[in-house]
Amino acid sequence: MPGGELRLMTGYDALVEGSIIAGCRFFAGYPITPSTEIAERMSSRLPRVGGVFIQMEDELASIMAVIGASWAGLKSMTATSGPGFSLMQEGLGFAVITETPIVVVNVMRGGPSTGLVTLPSQGDVMQARWGSHGDYSVIALAPWSSQEMFNLAIKAFNLSEIYRNPVIVLSDEVVAHIREPVRIPPVEEIEIVERKRPSVPPTDFIPYLPEPGEWVSPMPAFGDGYNVLVESVMHDEFGHRIGMGQPIAERKIKRIYYKIEKNVDKIAMHEERELGDADIAVVSYGSAARSSLKAIKDARGLGIKVGMLRLITLWPFYDKLMEELSERVRAIVVPEMNMGKIVREVERASKGRCKVISVPKVGGVLHSPDEILSAIKFAAR
Amino acid sequence: MIQEEDFEHILAKKYMRTELMPHAFCSGCGIGIVERIILMAFEELGEEEWRRTVFVSGIGCSGWTPLYFRSDVAHTLHGRALPFATAVKLARPELNVIVIMGDGDAMAIGGNHLIHAARRNIGLTTIVVTNMVYSLTGGQVAPTTPEGAVTQTTPYGNIEPNFNLIELMKAAGATYLARWTTYHVMQAKNSVKKAIKHKGFSLVEIISQCPTFMGRYVLNKADPRDILQWFKENSVPIGVASSKSPEELKGKIIVGEFLHKPEVLEYTERIRMLKERIGR
């Protein structure tokens, strides 16, 4: 796709094109509404750019395939929705412990279980962070437009390569199906991160031992002669199974946890609107932020000093940002298409410094701007 | 060809992560023999083949098999070795991708992947180590446990019929199939060699002794030598078996090479052809 163009694109299309520009050359998936269009477009696009598309037998296979392809040297991705994301959780943990860069897109739909098949939701926010067993950390990004589906697809690949960790794109049905203009920048304007390969010979290479000051080590591919052990069991720096080796296990778990959490300053992205003089803030993300923006405009029309903080990075959660915000405003309103999930993080980070008001919305529809406006008015009282 | 008496020493030095020795396996376990079978096959195939080989395994005792090999190795999740390996083959078709699974790994939790890998005829070499019981978890029933066997989870005797892996794989679309026991070291080595050279999806089932749990729960024999003797006495070559009645074959292990269809298109070849067709 030539750069510098403005194109009318769905969120799906934009995400796929962004991924291909980022270097994605492998996609494995299993059809599930409302994420299927990503697999469909990938099946058409990837063979034309020298990549591989495969429709696997289920989601468990899909995520394992994506991890396998990554170790074979390809940037790889899968996409799914609610129940499929649940099935992928064990594989997600496998990617975490083996420090494998992969991108997982979850086009969220209403749950629990098969739930609301084609309707939007933001119900999987906590699952994206805590879904697999054990202690670990992930990066999760929440786009709100077609343009951001494009931008964050590239960002997701870059972050996964930098931190050797799964990155989750938490889209929702509205953002994925919407059709909007997308600016495809010229190639030279796009930053693409390539995986760091080992620079030392195989005999000197230790696959899970970062250089001093680094969080992750370079990653060889299968067939490069490095004889790597990709080990799902707790392992030492060589990839060797350690059995009951508590200090080694503690070191590994802390490193894979902190390589994300300690770099929150570099990872976290957000957007502020009209927050300068605001004494009320609406904290929102994804398509709930679209309704929030309209509500803020209406509230401003009524003379209420309100602004928006839109979270682009949901995980790792940027506590410092929320602390600062909670010192500046009287109240934070948190509209989300779930029963209240990120609001817990907002409450935790704001530590009672201001009022926090949850505006839940479930059942498969967006908030109406009026619903959010009511909450803003309540906060302003 | 190296001398028989030197095999262990030479193969270990050449192919194994000796720093991880001794093995974690129980004494008398058949996995040592399985490792030897694989390494003997590579010794004959040559170093070049070894250098372009990736091993992928699942969970369970058999999943530990390749961890001792000085090679690229992925020890994945229970049942999920095949989808991982499928992607490695898709990304790097020039590599030998060898998948080592236990019977529970391959036929229970990973059964769906096994069927679909065979259906696609993707060029993976799968080695299924069958010991008729779940061993790592302490002796529970497996899809291969004989009917009537008392295990930790079938205290009143196993009421389920067991899988015939070879028949299952034939129906699913595999293009090279063989079965041996750990008693048949040379025959199994030859089959593994052939499976590695075979372009499509190949599977070699190796019935292996587990003195600790299979011995206790299935065969009532604790000495590995007795189990190997039992394998020897109860194995029937496929050529002989074809003239026998089902009653005569009850409880027997039919061994041999069951299928070899080198002419069927392999999956990564199909992908290459698709790309050519659309002009890539």
Side-chain angles (χ1 to χ4, degrees), chain A residues 33-111:
Chain A
T33 309
S35 76
T36 310
E37 287 93 332
I38 297 172
E40 289 173 355
R41 191 172 174 109
M42 280 290 191
S43 72
S44 155
R45 292 286 283 125
L46 272 178
R48 294 192 177 276
V49 294
V52 178
F53 168 89
I54 185 168
Q55 183 169 314
M56 295 301 287
E57 52 273 18
D58 56 30
E59 284 88 350
L60 303 94
S62 303
I63 190 157
M64 291 307 286
V66 161
I67 300 166
S70 187
W71 276 100
L74 300 185
K75 289 186 183 178
S76 58
M77 170 194 256
T78 185
T80 189
S81 295
F85 194 55
S86 297
L87 288 176
M88 287 183 183
Q89 291 300 331
E90 192 192 14
L92 205 60
F94 176 55
V96 165
I97 200 169
T98 55
E99 301 187 57
T100 312
I102 57 166
V103 174
V104 178
V105 183
N106 177 6
V107 182
M108 291 181 282
R109 72 186 209 185

Side-chain angles (χ1 to χ4, degrees), chain B residues 3-20:
Chain B
Q3 291 304 303
E4 177 69 20
E5 60 266 25
D6 289 326
F7 260 134
E8 279 182 15
H9 175 64
I10 290 172
L11 293 178
K13 249 173 57 180
K14 210 162 157 184
Y15 299 106
M16 297 186 83
R17 297 178 195 260
T18 42
E19 68 273 21
L20 294 185

Side-chain angles (χ1 to χ4, degrees), chain A residues 122-365:
Chain A
Q122 295 177 323
D124 306 346
V125 169
M126 287 295 170
Q127 194 189 16
R129 173 66 189 85
W130 303 106
S132 198
H133 54 283
D135 286 293
Y136 65 102
S137 189
V138 293
I139 298 170
L141 310 174
W144 82 326
S145 64
S146 286
Q147 182 69 56
E148 240 178 31
M149 286 288 259
F150 177 87
N151 297 351
L152 293 187
I154 298 169
K155 194 80 191 173
F157 276 100
N158 288 350
L159 288 169
S160 77
E161 295 294 341
I162 293 168
Y163 294 102
R164 277 187 64 179
N165 209 64
V167 174
I168 294 153
V169 178
L170 270 178
S171 170
D172 60 63
E173 188 273 338
V174 173
V175 172
H177 272 143
I178 208 161
R179 202 175 286 266
E180 293 177 321
V182 175
R183 180 180 170 269
I184 311 286
V187 189
E188 58 276 13
E189 277 180 29
I190 303 174
E191 192 204 355
I192 292 164
V193 177
E194 295 303 335
R195 185 172 306 180
K196 217 187 266 176
R197 298 297 188 100
S199 53
V200 296
T203 42
D204 300 336
F205 181 65
I206 304 173
Y208 302 95
L209 182 67
E211 294 284 311
E214 298 282 334
W215 285 96
V216 297
S217 69
M219 183 174 165
F222 288 153
D224 287 357
Y226 281 83
N227 294 338
V228 284
L229 269 176
V230 180
E231 179 56 276
S232 62
V233 174
M234 190 55 67
H235 48 263
D236 65 12
E237 284 76 4
F238 293 89
H240 296 159
R241 205 157 39 85
I242 55 164
M244 305 297 165
Q246 185 266 336
I248 299 171
E250 187 182 349
R251 196 159 73 220
K252 167 92 188 184
I253 295 166
K254 284 189 168 168
R255 184 171 61 76
I256 60 177
Y257 185 82
Y258 287 128
K259 73 179 178 183
I260 306 298
E261 299 293 331
K262 294 268 193 202
N263 284 304
V264 63
D265 288 354
K266 292 181 197 153
I267 298 167
M269 295 174 283
H270 65 277
E271 185 192 359
E272 292 184 12
R273 300 228 184 167
E274 306 196 51
L275 263 185
D277 66 340
D279 56 10
I280 295 166
V282 177
V283 171
S284 199
Y285 54 92
S287 50
R290 300 175 76 106
S291 298
S292 302
L293 191 60
K294 171 74 166 95
I296 287 161
K297 279 180 186 157
D298 294 347
R300 283 271 169 185
L302 299 170
I304 303 172
K305 286 182 180 171
V306 58
M308 181 166 83
L309 175 69
R310 183 171 68 86
L311 300 174
I312 300 172
T313 305
L314 293 183
W315 306 111
F317 194 78
Y318 202 7
D319 282 20
K320 203 171 76 184
L321 177 75
M322 212 51 66
E323 281 168 30
E324 284 165 10
L325 183 70
S326 63
E327 278 164 9
R328 275 161 58 193
V329 298
R330 284 196 290 135
I332 298 175
V333 176
V334 190
E336 319 173 68
M337 282 194 284
N338 55 47
M339 289 298 287
K341 288 194 162 73
I342 284 292
V343 69
R344 290 163 175 257
E345 293 298 298
V346 175
E347 277 170 352
R348 184 182 55 74
S350 59
K351 296 191 177 80
R353 283 180 289 251
C354 70
K355 207 161 35 168
V356 176
I357 299 161
S358 175
V359 191
K361 185 78 183 179
V362 290
V365 283

